[in-house]
């Protein structure tokens, strides 16, 4: 499904992150703005309370505690009692309270039994407000009856300052919050729209950036599909090799290149193996059919059977070599036996003595201890292959020198001859399977071009290396280096 794509997953993460971030920031901004406006309203209520409490005490005697006639300061610094009448003071107090009410602040005075003592004209008449105010006041810890208490509370539709003067009265200074609530509601809607806009724009940008970032992946996938469909020569386009996707493309190109080379190598290997096996099979079929076609003398039957035997032996030799290469390709574990290249080389020289004499070759050993850990049988075949190649692939009179020693912490095997040598253009191919430097001579000696491939595979399986140097007309040297035991 489309929602399982990486692009949609990135978009979902982007949406979640943007939504969470925008929500946190916008909610924090809304709460900060609400708190600031409430603090502004609370400050105004406290200012009006400071201005109106004296006047309220004249209108509702004793609301602020016991009254004493206020003294009057004279110019000479002496203090005299006030001379204005209670009626005059009440008139001034009512005027002061009217100024407070004109600012939008209302006043109420009740006793602790919820009996109304005073209410301004703009004060709410719901009894629930008084009840709730008393409940909120009771919830506040009592600091003692002689100490005034102020408590700022939010009642339905109003912000109220509760003032508890000494005595059993409660003074309420309040202001309607309809406009404030409306303004906060508008702010909430604006912030919500802004949040949706931020998330929408952010997701749009994320969609575009994800598409641009994942475009190379689509191109890599398309190229990989083309290669899987049979376009083995196709390469993945690499634009930026320093980026992660660029490095991935380089790795995939290298991997596909190796796979293509392995495929071609396997196809060539199969063709070569079929060709090598076809020749002895043809000989077997031809001689067996010829022998069955008509009666022959015992000598002719014997000759035909001998030819069939040699062809079968050649097929067995090829199949054994192919089987050993297959085991090596499959990573068959190497035995961990203690052995010495000098002992293995001595056995090989003894086995090849008759072959060397038959071909007029001189086999010279120079053997020093070279201990290794590995499969003695496979290492012995390495020495046999290198030595017999030097004997059979050179003219009569060649000298083949087999040397073992320890050099720089490695056990070395050196097989050198003073024969015809190998052309420089063929040196890089001699370890390839079914590769013959001299095809006619290999057919004459029965070789299939697998010996050196097996030698290289065996040496590398033992953690070693093999190198060859040669000069036409002067000879060839094979050098095998293995970890010293």
């Amino acid at each position: 499904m489309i929602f399982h794509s990486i692009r949609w997953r990135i978009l979902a993460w982007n949406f979640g992150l943007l939504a969470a971030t925008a929500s946190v920031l916008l909610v924090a901004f809304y709460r900060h703005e609400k708190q600031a406006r409430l603090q502004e309203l609370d400050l105004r209520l406290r200012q009006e309370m400071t201005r109106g409490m004296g006047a309220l005490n004249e209108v509702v005697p004793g609301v602020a505690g016991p009254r004493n006639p206020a003294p009057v300061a004279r110019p000479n610094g002496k203090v005299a009692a006030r001379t204005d009448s209670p009626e005059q003071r009440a008139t001034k107090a009512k005027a002061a309270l009217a100024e407070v009410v004109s600012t939008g602040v209302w006043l109420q005075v009740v006793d602790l039994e919820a009996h109304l003592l005073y209410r301004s004209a703009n004060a709410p008449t719901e009894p629930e407000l008084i009840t709730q105010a008393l409940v909120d006041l009771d919830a506040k810890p009592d600091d003692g009856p002689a100490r005034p208490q102020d408590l700022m509370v939010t009642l339905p539709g109003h912000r109220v300052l509760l003032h508890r003067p000494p005595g059993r009265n409660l003074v309420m200074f309040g202001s309607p919050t309809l406009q404030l609530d409306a303004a906060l509601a508008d702010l909430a809607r604006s912030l919500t729209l802004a949040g949706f806009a931020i998330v929408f724009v952010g997701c749009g940008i994320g969609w575009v950036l994800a598409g641009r970032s994942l475009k190379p992946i689509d191109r890599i996938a398309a190229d990989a599909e083309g290669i899987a469909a049979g376009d083995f020569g196709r390469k993945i386009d690499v634009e930026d090799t320093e980026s992660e996707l660029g490095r991935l493309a380089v790795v995939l190109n290298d991997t596909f290149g190796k796979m293509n080379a392995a495929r071609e190598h396997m196809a060539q290997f199969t063709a070569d193996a079929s060709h090598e096996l076809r020749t002895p099979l043809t000989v077997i079929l031809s001689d067996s059919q010829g022998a069955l076609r008509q009666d022959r003398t015992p000598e002719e039957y014997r000759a035909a059977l001998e030819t069939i035997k040699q062809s079968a032996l050649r097929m067995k030799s090829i199949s054994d070599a192919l089987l050993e290469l297959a085991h090596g390709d499959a990573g068959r574990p190497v035995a961990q036996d203690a052995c010495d290249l000098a002992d293995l080389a001595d056995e090989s020289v003894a086995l090849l003595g008759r072959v060397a004499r038959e071909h007029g070759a001189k086999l010279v050993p120079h053997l020093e201890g070279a201990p290794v850990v590995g499969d003695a049988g496979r290492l012995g075949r390495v020495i046999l292959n290198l030595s017999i190649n030097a004997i059979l692939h050179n003219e009569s009179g060649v000298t083949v020198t087999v040397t073992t020693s320890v050099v720089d912490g490695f056990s070395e095997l050196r097989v050198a001859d003073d024969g015809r040598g190998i052309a420089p253009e063929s040196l890089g191919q001699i370890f390839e399977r079914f590769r013959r430097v001299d095809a006619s001579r290999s057919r004459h000696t029965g070789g299939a071009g697998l010996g050196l491939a097996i030698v290289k595979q065996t040496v590398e399986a033992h953690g070693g290396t093999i190198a060859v140097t040669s000069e036409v007309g002067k000879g060839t040297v094979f050098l095998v280096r293995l970890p010293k035991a």
Side-chain angles (χ1 to χ4, degrees):
M1 293 177 63
I2 187 172
F3 295 105
H4 291 169
S5 68
I6 297 178
R7 189 173 188 178
W8 277 102
R9 294 181 183 180
I10 293 176
L11 185 64
W13 278 103
N14 184 41
F15 172 80
L17 182 61
L18 278 175
T21 304
S23 298
V24 171
L25 293 178
L26 294 178
V27 168
F29 178 80
Y30 173 81
R31 296 184 64 179
H32 176 270
E33 188 67 18
K34 179 180 179 180
Q35 189 66 26
R37 296 189 185 191
L38 287 176
Q39 288 177 352
E40 182 181 353
L41 180 57
D42 294 346
L43 178 61
R44 184 161 65 89
L45 290 176
R46 292 184 184 280
Q47 291 174 345
E48 297 303 329
M49 183 195 73
T50 302
R51 185 171 65 163
M53 277 303 297
L56 190 60
N57 195 41
E58 296 292 339
V59 176
V60 185
V63 71
R67 289 193 305 164
N68 293 317
V72 177
R74 291 182 175 180
N76 59 7
K78 295 183 179 181
V79 179
R82 295 185 59 172
T83 58
D84 52 348
S85 64
E87 291 77 8
Q88 291 175 333
R89 292 197 299 271
T91 301
K92 293 179 181 179
K94 290 178 180 179
L97 292 178
E99 291 181 4
V100 173
V101 170
S102 66
T103 63
V105 176
W106 53 262
L107 301 89
Q108 282 194 106
V109 181
V110 297
D111 59 19
L112 297 184
E113 285 75 27
H115 297 142
L116 181 65
L117 302 179
Y118 175 81
R119 174 185 290 161
S120 63
N122 62 340
T125 60
E126 296 88 345
E128 294 82 3
L129 291 178
I130 297 176
T131 303
Q132 184 64 41
L134 292 173
V135 171
D136 292 339
L137 186 65
D138 290 339
K140 184 177 186 294
D142 192 1
D143 294 331
R147 183 176 180 182
Q149 302 180 28
D150 294 337
L151 179 63
M152 199 69 68
V153 296
T154 299
L155 301 179
H158 297 271
R159 183 71 170 174
V160 181
L161 172 60
L162 304 179
H163 178 68
R164 173 89 180 276
R168 296 185 57 79
N169 296 324
L170 174 63
V171 182
M172 303 168 61
F173 287 83
S175 177
T177 57
L178 295 178
Q179 292 183 351
L180 177 60
D181 293 340
L184 291 176
D186 290 339
L187 177 63
R189 284 191 293 270
S190 299
L191 292 178
T192 301
L193 293 176
F196 280 116
I198 291 173
V199 172
F200 179 78
V201 174
C203 288
I205 295 175
W207 176 265
V208 174
L209 293 179
R212 291 175 63 87
S213 300
L214 296 176
K215 187 177 181 180
I217 294 182
D218 294 335
R219 186 173 61 251
I220 291 174
D223 291 336
E225 289 174 356
I227 294 173
D231 187 7
F232 300 110
R234 188 171 180 174
K235 294 286 186 180
I236 297 175
D237 185 23
V238 182
E239 294 181 354
D240 182 11
T241 58
E242 298 300 323
S243 66
E244 292 83 353
L245 293 178
R247 293 198 296 271
L248 174 62
V250 171
V251 172
L252 289 177
N253 277 336
D254 183 59
T255 301
F256 290 146
K258 291 180 179 178
M259 290 175 61
N260 189 39
R263 182 191 62 82
E264 294 177 351
H265 179 75
M266 182 58 66
Q268 183 64 39
F269 177 79
T270 304
D272 291 341
S274 301
H275 176 74
E276 293 294 332
L277 292 172
R278 183 184 297 115
T279 300
L281 277 174
T282 302
V283 172
I284 292 173
L285 289 174
S286 175
D287 281 27
S288 60
Q289 290 173 352
L292 294 172
R293 188 174 297 115
Q294 59 183 4
D295 292 337
R296 297 178 180 272
T297 63
E299 290 74 13
E300 290 175 333
Y301 281 123
R302 184 180 296 278
L305 290 175
E306 184 65 27
T307 302
I308 291 173
K309 174 188 174 184
Q310 294 299 325
S311 297
L313 290 174
R314 176 174 171 78
M315 288 182 62
K316 183 178 183 302
S317 175
I318 295 174
S319 62
D320 289 343
L322 291 175
L323 183 61
E324 184 167 354
L325 286 172
H327 285 163
D329 291 339
R332 183 180 62 180
V334 177
Q336 300 294 308
D337 301 326
C339 53
D340 197 305
L341 292 180
D343 296 335
L344 300 177
D346 188 52
E347 294 176 5
S348 298
V349 169
L351 289 173
L352 294 175
R354 183 179 62 82
V355 176
R357 288 191 298 271
E358 290 177 354
H359 287 79
K362 183 179 180 182
L363 197 56
V364 180
H366 293 291
L367 307 179
E368 297 178 4
V372 295
V373 173
D375 189 325
R378 296 177 68 182
L379 291 175
R381 288 195 292 275
V382 167
I383 302 173
L384 277 173
N385 273 329
L386 294 177
S387 302
I388 200 169
N389 280 347
I391 295 172
L392 298 180
H393 296 169
N394 284 296
E395 301 294 340
S396 177
V398 65
T399 298
V400 179
T401 304
V402 180
T403 306
T404 60
S405 60
V406 175
V407 179
D408 297 331
F410 286 88
S411 295
E412 288 190 354
L413 165 71
R414 183 186 300 268
V415 179
D417 65 71
D418 57 358
R420 65 179 63 189
I422 302 173
E425 60 271 15
S426 299
L427 277 178
Q429 304 172 350
I430 61 173
F431 293 110
E432 296 180 8
R433 301 174 185 185
F434 296 107
R435 179 68 62 178
R436 300 188 185 95
V437 176
D438 186 339
S440 62
R441 185 171 61 252
S442 295
R443 284 192 296 269
H444 174 72
T445 58
L450 295 175
L452 290 179
I454 295 175
V455 166
K456 185 174 186 295
Q457 185 185 77
T458 301
V459 171
E460 291 179 348
H462 284 77
T465 60
I466 182 170
V468 57
T469 58
S470 184
E471 188 175 350
V472 176
K474 294 187 177 181
T476 303
V477 177
F478 284 89
L479 176 63
V480 175
R481 303 190 76 195
L482 296 171
K484 177 179 175 294

